[in-house]
Amino acid sequence: QVQLVESGGGLVQAGGSLRLSCAASGSIVSIDFMGWYRQAPGKQRELVAGITSVGFTNYADSVKGRFTISRGNAKNRVYLQMNDLKSEDTAVYYCNANAVPALQSPSLVYWGQGTQVTVSS
């Protein structure tokens, strides 16, 4: 099994910054993709940013130019630097990974427990 543990959420004023971290551990052969999703009350979970094993990134239009996703040197960590935060960024942020847990296993989807980000206006 693969476990994802997030950290770095909290309360911040509009215009401020936060950095989210996610560490993957457990039985991991490879990680193909890591990303951050968010879910605000009453809304569907949406992709915020993602990064592939070779470093390709993609972002939701609403965060382009403000958020930056990156992976650690060990490739089992992913970070989300969030700048110029807005009230509409308030949500629970979830770490996501597409990982191969064992040889000859398909890639499976894993989720962290979520971390709350609240932006006050």
Side-chain angles (χ1 to χ4, degrees), residues 84-117:
D84 190 23
L85 283 159
K86 305 177 180 181
S87 58
E88 51 264 40
D89 295 317
T90 295
V92 178
Y93 284 69
Y94 296 91
C95 180
N96 165 271
N98 290 3
V100 177
L103 294 175
Q104 299 184 334
S105 167
S107 181
L108 302 176
V109 178
Y110 298 92
W111 293 95
Q113 79 284 358
T115 185
Q116 177 70 46
V117 171

Side-chain angles (χ1 to χ4, degrees), residues 1-104:
Q1 283 293 333
V2 176
Q3 296 81 39
L4 302 177
V5 178
E6 304 112 330
S7 61
L11 174 64
V12 65
Q13 288 188 333
S17 298
L18 282 175
R19 187 178 190 236
L20 304 183
S21 300
C22 173
S25 63
S27 174
I28 303 173
V29 174
S30 63
I31 300 177
D32 305 317
F33 171 91
M34 295 190 80
W36 291 94
Y37 287 71
R38 67 186 180 188
Q39 188 167 20
K43 295 188 176 182
Q44 289 188 333
R45 190 174 296 189
E46 62 174 356
L47 176 66
V48 177
I51 185 166
T52 70
S53 59
V54 295
F56 290 118
T57 59
N58 64 301
Y59 297 90
D61 288 343
S62 59
V63 306
K64 284 180 180 177
R66 300 188 297 123
F67 291 10
T68 302
I69 190 169
S70 61
R71 289 181 75 165
N73 290 334
K75 305 299 182 185
N76 67 330
R77 291 180 177 269
V78 66
Y79 306 96
L80 185 67
Q81 178 66 43
M82 304 185 294
N83 298 327
D84 190 23
L85 283 159
K86 305 177 180 181
S87 58
E88 51 264 40
D89 295 317
T90 295
V92 178
Y93 284 69
Y94 296 91
C95 180
N96 165 271
N98 290 3
V100 177
L103 294 175
Q104 299 184 334

